[in-house]
Amino acid sequence: YFAADASLSHAYASAATDGRHFLLVTDVALGTPYRTEGPLYGIAQAPVGHHSCVGVRGGTFTRGDEYCVYRYAQQRLRYLVAVRPASAPCRPPQAPAFRPQRTLREVAMAPRDQDGTAGAVAADARAEVQQFRRKVNTRPPPADAGLFAGDGAGVPLQRVEVRGRLVDMVAEVCCFQHYYNASSEPIEAKYVFPLDEYAAVCGFEAFINGKHIVGRVKEKEEAHREYKKAIAAGHGAYLLDEEKPDVFSVSVGNLPPKAEVLIKVTYVTELQINDGCIQFLLPSTVAPAALKQAHKKVTQTATATAGVGADDSFVFGGTLSIEMPFHITKLYSPSHSIEVKRTDTLATVRLPPSGEPLQEDFALLIGLEDATCPRLWVEVDDSGHSAAMLSSYPDFDVPNFVDKEFIFVVDRSHSLDGDAIKDLARTIRYCLQLLPDGVRFNILFFGSTYTRLFPDSEMVSAESLGKAWEAVREENLRANLGATDLWRPLKDVMVLGACSTRNGSHVASRLRNVFVFSDFHVSNQAYTLRLVQRGLWHTRVFAFGVGGKHCNRHFARSIAQAGGGQCEFVPSGKLPSKEKVIRQLKRGLQPAVADIHIEWRTDEPEWQQAPNVVQSIFLGDRSITYAFVQNCRMAYFRGLCGDRELDQLASAREAAVVRGRLLHRLTARAIIRDWQGGANFADDPLEHARRKEELKNDVIRLGIEYSLATEFTSFIAVEERTAEEQRALRDGASAAQRAGPSIDDLLEAEGSVDQLRTVGYQTESRHETTAGRQPGSLL
């Protein structure tokens, strides 16, 4: 759907987060067009005897002619133009105005040629494209963490303090960050921070100018309008958005000069299992100290090269309260030295304040005596509404399979150029080292096209491994295959898998696994997920995410969930984790618990569960399912492992029934995640889109009701300033006149999370994780 006028096309486009617009210039074969003065609803192809449709200016189409073609073969990409004035800031408050002096009107209207590609953009239009390329700055700013001024100047970080409460498999964390604006002018600042995919931001507060401003959740468009209006009126304004499912940003408007800013971000998260232990992870980018090294690697605009806390002298510390349902057998950090005090089921962990930056993620591992026992937690809020969390850890025997096939699908698109392709190469080589005998394997390399290493999968042998090893050497594995069209090799794999199964190979005696190595910034995501879901009955899909913080973790997890597999992420610039590779390959050698059904025992006729469909669970993995369900104190977990039925019962003990909103928020977040990509509402893409749009209002309602930043909701807070205050700020009032509470004041007001105040701390040095099984253990 397009226009022949650049100005008209621009009117339909919304700006990207950095203010740019994109103009796509193509050759188009209109053939014989069908002309209309009014809209045509519900058609999926041109009317009989025609090849395209033209909405003629006049009537409905008041701004100009509009066109539509229905076949990919009728268009050919010429240019993708990023439009932004070179002088514009990286994120202007409004999209830059763009009105070209010339237009792209000279689109050929001739009938199609024999090759079906008639029509070309006129020569003067191509010249205009070249002119645009010379005028605009097309480099996007990176989504680094920390607080940035709108003009690129860093707002130095002074101190970070973390307070958290860990209860079984969930946690509530408050992160206090203290910044100082050394600028002599009021600025707009931006704070960007990543969180784990399972986390949900549920609170944002700012302490500035002696005031406490609490953010409220509103529909995103309404929040943005209120923010802009407050800035224009000279007030302070604070906006928190979800940029991506695992990246959030805070905009701080009219930040006074020489002012100290205290930001409090509260989030809830689901804890993961690592090496049989419950793991709490605090990303180092929440306390942005790794930025300095990242800036050295990238030559960008002023914003990109401005470091937060350039002196690296901020203070970092934290305290975590731990409450577990079973005896704690292990409690240690593989990353940092900590202070610990504990009883059988309670513990407090303190990371002593230090002048050193948080150079790596802080990890805390908790081992339990009976971690595999299924359990049910129920939470009741003040209104009497209940939410439940079922934690299942199935244990089953692994049968022997006659036919085991591993297909490695390797991304070689341009987005992996640099360190990411090296990380990928190391990981795929490690997988080849660990392949056991008796397994067939193949490698597919993809970008805009794809190629196979072998015409068909071959048995593991010295010859086949040697050829594979040569193909994935670092000097041979280049990121030079164009775009990231993952759907192309997956479609091939799924079609062949379906054919081989119908030709006599029994599904129960074979394991066919696809392992995708990519940063997962793929094109046509919806179609890719549908391909994977439709092939689930004969082929499972696992994911290895590479690219560090630039990896699209949300889609990596979505494709693994849709494909009945699991997802692992490869650390950037490091050797691949032996445990992660072994764990992923072992999953490919065993069946999974599938056809999972959760039965919530309640008198109520309805409940709302998330994820709505639990795809599969492997030996050693844990499944967590949430539900809004009333009067439930018992739940059944049922599934199939091959031809064996698995049944587990979990009941809520008296101690497992709590009051609050932590589980409510995680349940709401899980429902929203299902909506964003985990759930498939219909096989037909149009019906899927229709049903998803119908549920959009439910997503907005959940975000507002449970104070969650989502795709459609944002936090907004306005600090109203009187005319006298605005004059004082313009005249440069002293920082002492605007002093607010310190982090210590806030921590004292919040109250201690320590449940063992009469017990003394013991210092625990950093523990290195055990090496685990040696290479070849899968044999």
Side-chain angles (χ1 to χ4, degrees), residues 570-583:
V570 178
S572 179
K574 299 180 181 178
L575 293 175
S577 168
K578 181 188 304 182
E579 289 78 11
K580 289 183 178 181
V581 174
I582 290 178
R583 186 163 59 231

Side-chain angles (χ1 to χ4, degrees), residues 165 169-174 196-205 214-217 242 248 264-270 377-382 385-389 608-611 624-629 658-674 676 698-699 701-710 713 715 750:
R165 175 171 167 257
M169 290 296 297
V170 298
E172 183 176 34
V173 182
C174 295
D196 189 84
E197 173 75 12
Y198 301 98
V201 174
C202 59
F204 168 63
E205 301 169 54
V214 179
R216 293 169 293 122
V217 173
E242 178 188 280
F248 297 83
K264 176 186 175 183
V265 175
T266 303
Y267 66 92
V268 292
T269 186
E270 171 187 318
W377 286 84
V378 177
E379 180 185 74
V380 183
D381 65 12
D382 293 339
H385 189 263
S386 296
M389 180 188 76
Q608 191 172 12
Q609 174 184 303
I624 292 185
T625 310
Y626 299 94
F628 285 132
V629 54
V658 297
R659 300 196 68 85
R661 286 169 64 86
L662 192 152
L663 285 187
H664 282 74
R665 284 169 169 156
L666 285 174
T667 303
R669 192 51 166 164
I671 293 171
I672 293 171
R673 289 289 192 235
D674 239 13
Q676 286 179 313
D698 291 338
V699 172
R701 177 186 59 79
L702 286 173
I704 294 175
E705 181 177 353
Y706 293 103
S707 297
L708 300 176
T710 69
T713 55
F715 278 93
E750 292 268 335

Side-chain angles (χ1 to χ4, degrees), residues 396-406 434-440 510-513 515 540 542 581-592 618-619 777-779:
F396 52 90
D397 297 327
V398 178
N400 185 34
F401 288 87
V402 177
D403 184 10
K404 298 182 284 288
E405 182 179 10
F406 285 11
L434 293 172
L435 278 178
D437 293 332
V439 171
R440 296 187 300 120
R510 67 194 297 264
L511 277 176
R512 193 166 188 263
N513 307 282
F515 295 86
R540 300 182 301 185
F542 300 81
V581 174
I582 290 178
R583 186 163 59 231
Q584 196 77 310
L585 293 183
K586 284 182 66 176
R587 290 167 179 154
L589 293 171
Q590 61 175 274
F618 295 84
L619 187 66
S777 62
L778 294 179
L779 300 179

